[in-house]
Amino acid sequence: MNKILAIIPLALISCQQLNWAEVPGTLNTVVNGVPDIKITKKYYDESSYSFIKVTSGRYLNFTAILSSTDEENYRWVNSEGHVIYSKQGKIVKVSAQPENSFYFISPKFKINSKIKDSLFEELIYFESPDAMMQQTSELRFIESEVITYLDKEVSVNVYEEKFTTEIFNWKGSNKYWVEKDSDLVIRSEQNIYPFRKTYKIEYFYKFKN
C-alpha cells in the first residue's frame, strides 16, 4: 500500500476514549454495560487520524488512535496511554496494566489476498502471570462476502486463524475481514487472552491528501 496513513502526534491525543480496563465504574454500567460508540460515516469524516474501535463483552468499548507505523506494524494509543500494536490486523502486543499486557516474540502472522493458507508457530509472553507460551496457528481463506462498513457495502475476503497453545490447553479461532480494494484488514474478532471474551476490533484508516 503506497498511501500515507494519517497519524496523530502523541501530544494531541485527547481524553475522549474509555479505559482499557474491564471494570464497570457505576451502578448503571454494572446493569447495562458501557455505552456503545457508533462509528458512522459522519464520525469517520470528522476524525483527523486513523483509529480503531475495540469492544469485548458489556464492559469494554473504546477507540484508540494510530500514533506510528513501521511498514506493516501499527501502534495505537488510547486516552489512558495504553498501547495496542497490530500487524496486518492481528493484535501482537498490548502495553497496559500488567494483567492485560502481552506480546508476540517476532510475530510471523501475515495476511493478504495472495495468501490462501499458512501454518506457523509463535511465542507469546504474558506479563501477569509471568508466562511464555508457544502457539501453533493455521490461517486459511474461508469465503468472500459483502459487509456494511462506514454506511456502505464493501467486498471482503474472510480468513480464519485456528490456534492451539501448549499451556492452559488454550485453543480457539480468530477471524479477519480483508477489504478487497485496499487489501487491509477492516474488521476482526480475536481471542487475545486465555479464558476471556472475544475482542472485536474495527479498523478505520485515514490517508493524507
Side-chain angles (χ1 to χ4, degrees), residues 87-88 90 108-121 136-142 157-163 173-178 185:
K87 178 182 180 181
Q88 297 189 352
K90 179 175 180 173
K108 300 176 182 177
F109 180 84
K110 186 179 290 289
I111 187 170
N112 58 56
S113 58
K114 297 178 181 179
I115 296 176
K116 295 302 181 183
D117 301 281
S118 63
L119 182 67
F120 52 93
E121 293 184 347
T136 301
S137 297
E138 181 181 7
L139 180 69
R140 64 186 183 90
F141 169 79
I142 301 178
N157 290 322
V158 185
Y159 294 81
E160 182 181 41
E161 177 193 16
K162 291 186 176 181
F163 65 85
S173 65
N174 305 321
K175 291 182 71 175
Y176 306 88
W177 285 258
V178 181
V185 173

Side-chain angles (χ1 to χ4, degrees), residues 5 161 181:
L5 287 163
E161 177 193 16
D181 288 344

Side-chain angles (χ1 to χ4, degrees), residues 91-185:
I91 304 302
V92 295
K93 181 179 179 180
V94 171
S95 295
Q97 303 92 344
E99 67 273 16
N100 291 323
S101 296
F102 75 93
Y103 61 88
F104 283 81
I105 299 174
S106 300
K108 300 176 182 177
F109 180 84
K110 186 179 290 289
I111 187 170
N112 58 56
S113 58
K114 297 178 181 179
I115 296 176
K116 295 302 181 183
D117 301 281
S118 63
L119 182 67
F120 52 93
E121 293 184 347
E122 299 176 301
L123 288 176
I124 319 171
Y125 172 73
F126 286 91
E127 186 171 330
S128 180
D130 186 1
M132 182 81 74
M133 304 181 189
Q134 179 171 300
Q135 189 173 93
T136 301
S137 297
E138 181 181 7
L139 180 69
R140 64 186 183 90
F141 169 79
I142 301 178
E143 62 181 351
S144 295
E145 65 179 19
V146 175
I147 65 172
T148 300
Y149 175 76
L150 292 176
D151 301 338
K152 69 176 183 179
E153 293 187 339
V154 297
S155 297
V156 297
N157 290 322
V158 185
Y159 294 81
E160 182 181 41
E161 177 193 16
K162 291 186 176 181
F163 65 85
T164 57
T165 308
E166 61 182 9
I167 299 179
F168 304 139
N169 193 30
W170 177 34
K171 63 179 66 175
S173 65
N174 305 321
K175 291 182 71 175
Y176 306 88
W177 285 258
V178 181
E179 185 183 24
K180 290 183 178 181
D181 288 344
S182 65
D183 218 17
L184 290 170
V185 173

Side-chain angles (χ1 to χ4, degrees), residues 31-66:
V31 175
N32 299 313
V34 297
D36 188 25
I37 303 171
K38 300 291 186 182
I39 308 297
T40 62
K41 182 63 165 56
K42 182 175 183 293
Y43 184 109
Y44 171 83
D45 289 341
E46 293 175 350
S47 300
S48 300
Y49 306 100
S50 305
F51 63 96
I52 57 175
K53 174 187 173 183
V54 181
T55 58
S56 181
R58 297 170 59 200
Y59 301 126
L60 188 67
N61 187 354
F62 69 90
T63 60
I65 300 173
L66 183 64

